[in-house]
Structure formats: C-alpha cells, structure tokens
Amino acid sequence: MFGILIFVLGLAAGSFINALVWRHHQGKPFVKARSQCTSCGHKLGFWDLIPLVSFMMLGGRCRYCSAKISFQYPAVELAAAVGLAAIAGLPLVGLERIWLGGLFLLALLIFVYDLKYLIIPDAFVIVGLVWLAVGLLEYSDWSGRLLTALGIFGFFAALYFLSRGRWIGGGDGKLGFLVGLWLGWPLGVVGMLLAFVLGAVIGVALIGLDRATLKSQIPFGPFMIIGAVLAYGWGEEIVRWYIGMF
C-alpha cells in the first residue's frame, strides 16, 4: 500500500513538473496560473489533468481541439513515479528519503527544461543549492565537497570562455557545481566523466542517423544528470574497477 501511495504521489509530482516547465518558460506564476492546452489555450478541467490516466483516456489528444499532446507529459509523470518509488525502497531513514526524493524531482525538472529549451534557469540552480545545503548540514566533509564543486565549475567555465559559449552553456557549469557538491570527491568527477561519455555516444549516434550535425546544439544538462545518478548508484564500483586495472 505504501509503495502504491508513493507511486501516485510521484505521478502528481511529475504532472506538476510538466506544468512548471511550461509556466516558467511562458513567464506565468506557477501556483496561481491554470493549466491550459498549449495548442488552443483552452483551460483544462479536472478530468483533463489526472496524471497518466487523462492522457490514455483522451488518446493523447486535447479534448477541445484534438491537437496531439506531447508524449513528454506521461513520460515525465511515469519517470517521477518510478523514481520516487525506487528511492522509497532504498535503505535510508525517512528524512533522507524525503531529501533525496526532492533532489530527484529537481533533477528531473532541470533535465526536462534543458532538453526542451536548451537552458538551465538560475532559479532552479538556486533552489538546488539551498536544498543541497539543508541536506548536507550533517556531513563533515564540506571542504572536500566544496573543492570538488569548484573544480567542476572551473572546468566548465574554462570551456565556456575558451569557446565563447559554443562548446558548453553557462548553466552547465552551475549544474556541475551542484553535482560536485552533492557527490563530492571522487564520485562527482566520475559523474562528469560518465556524462561526457554518454554525450559523445549519443551525439555520434544522432549524427549517424542524420538527426544532428557537428553544429547542432545538444543539451548537456540531461547527460550530467544521468551521469550523476549513475555515479551515485555505482560510482564506488566504477572507481574500484578503474583502480584495479593498475
């Protein structure tokens, strides 16, 4: 029963993330503004907003104008639900689960926004910094985490200035700072290395499929988030494997 409750809460959280992505981009208040169809602008009712269920009941189309509803909406809702359910199953105490769950939802928000609009808003970074700071108060290795965060930020800042923003976006350095602060040394670096590997593989695949060119803009934030999640789950094993090679 607890798992089902967390899954349902995750669906609702995913629905809110979808709304927040659109409202922030449109400059609308994320609390007071009502949800509306992005095609015809019709205000949506209760039966249009049931996470996952409404999408399936409507056949993936708006009830009022029949325009296709982006698959982003059910995908993000399902990702949030599965992610929170997985976190609920981790061997953590209650407050740690809540903190990690909030961090996951924020990462999902940044993932979707950067993937959709090729930018990471400063507001999201600030919220992440505050959330991380609150959750990491009990840790004693602040200096190591901070140095890792500054090192990653410095690396991205150098790439940004050397390329005049052509190789990397300004928001990527800020997100890298958050990843370094969260994971510390050496997992933060492992997460970034995994991000570059994933980015290279996907980039080459897109070029091979004629979906992108060498001049195409490909958001790096999602790769950083995936790399960070992988490093959190399996980073220590990766480090031991790497050291064992020598």
Side-chain angles (χ1 to χ4, degrees):
M1 182 63 69
F2 178 73
I4 295 176
L5 175 61
I6 295 298
F7 190 85
V8 172
L9 289 175
L11 289 176
S15 179
F16 178 72
I17 287 174
N18 281 321
L20 184 55
V21 166
W22 185 80
R23 291 174 188 176
H24 187 278
H25 184 69
Q26 296 293 323
K28 297 180 179 291
F30 69 89
V31 175
K32 294 182 180 180
R34 284 190 58 186
S35 295
Q36 63 187 68
C37 173
T38 57
S39 296
C40 66
H42 195 288
K43 302 297 182 183
L44 302 180
F46 172 79
W47 296 108
D48 305 312
L49 297 172
I50 304 174
L52 206 59
V53 175
S54 292
F55 182 86
M56 293 186 292
M57 288 178 60
L58 296 172
R61 291 185 177 275
C62 172
R63 183 192 303 273
Y64 309 99
C65 69
S66 298
K68 285 186 177 181
I69 301 172
S70 171
F71 190 70
Q72 165 201 322
Y73 293 93
V76 172
E77 291 165 356
L78 189 59
V82 172
L84 288 189
I87 291 172
L90 294 176
L92 303 170
V93 298
L95 290 179
E96 286 180 316
R97 286 199 187 98
I98 293 173
W99 178 74
L100 189 59
L103 192 61
F104 166 75
L105 293 177
L106 178 63
L108 183 59
L109 170 64
I110 294 174
F111 183 105
V112 176
Y113 201 98
D114 193 27
L115 189 64
K116 192 174 181 69
Y117 300 118
L118 301 177
I119 191 171
I120 300 174
D122 288 340
F124 298 171
V125 175
I126 293 172
V127 172
L129 185 60
V130 172
W131 190 259
L132 274 171
V134 171
L136 296 173
L137 283 176
E138 63 182 87
Y139 288 83
S140 59
D141 59 339
W142 264 95
S143 58
R145 291 176 182 270
L146 187 58
L147 286 174
T148 302
L150 289 172
I152 294 174
F153 177 81
F155 173 74
F156 280 107
L159 289 179
Y160 180 83
F161 285 110
L162 285 173
S163 68
R164 297 181 180 179
R166 294 191 299 270
W167 298 344
I168 210 80
D172 295 327
K174 300 168 188 175
L175 180 58
F177 182 90
L178 295 183
V179 171
L181 195 61
W182 173 39
L183 296 176
W185 173 266
L187 297 188
V189 176
V190 172
M192 293 302 96
L193 290 174
L194 291 173
F196 276 104
V197 171
L198 288 170
V201 171
I202 298 299
V204 170
L206 290 175
I207 292 173
L209 295 171
D210 291 328
R211 300 292 298 274
T213 67
L214 291 174
K215 295 183 179 180
S216 298
Q217 283 187 302
I218 299 177
F220 192 58
F223 297 116
M224 295 171 67
I225 290 172
I226 295 173
V229 171
L230 292 175
Y232 175 79
W234 297 278
E236 293 181 0
E237 288 80 359
I238 293 174
V239 171
R240 285 196 294 268
W241 167 78
Y242 180 77
I243 293 175
M245 293 177 62
F246 301 94

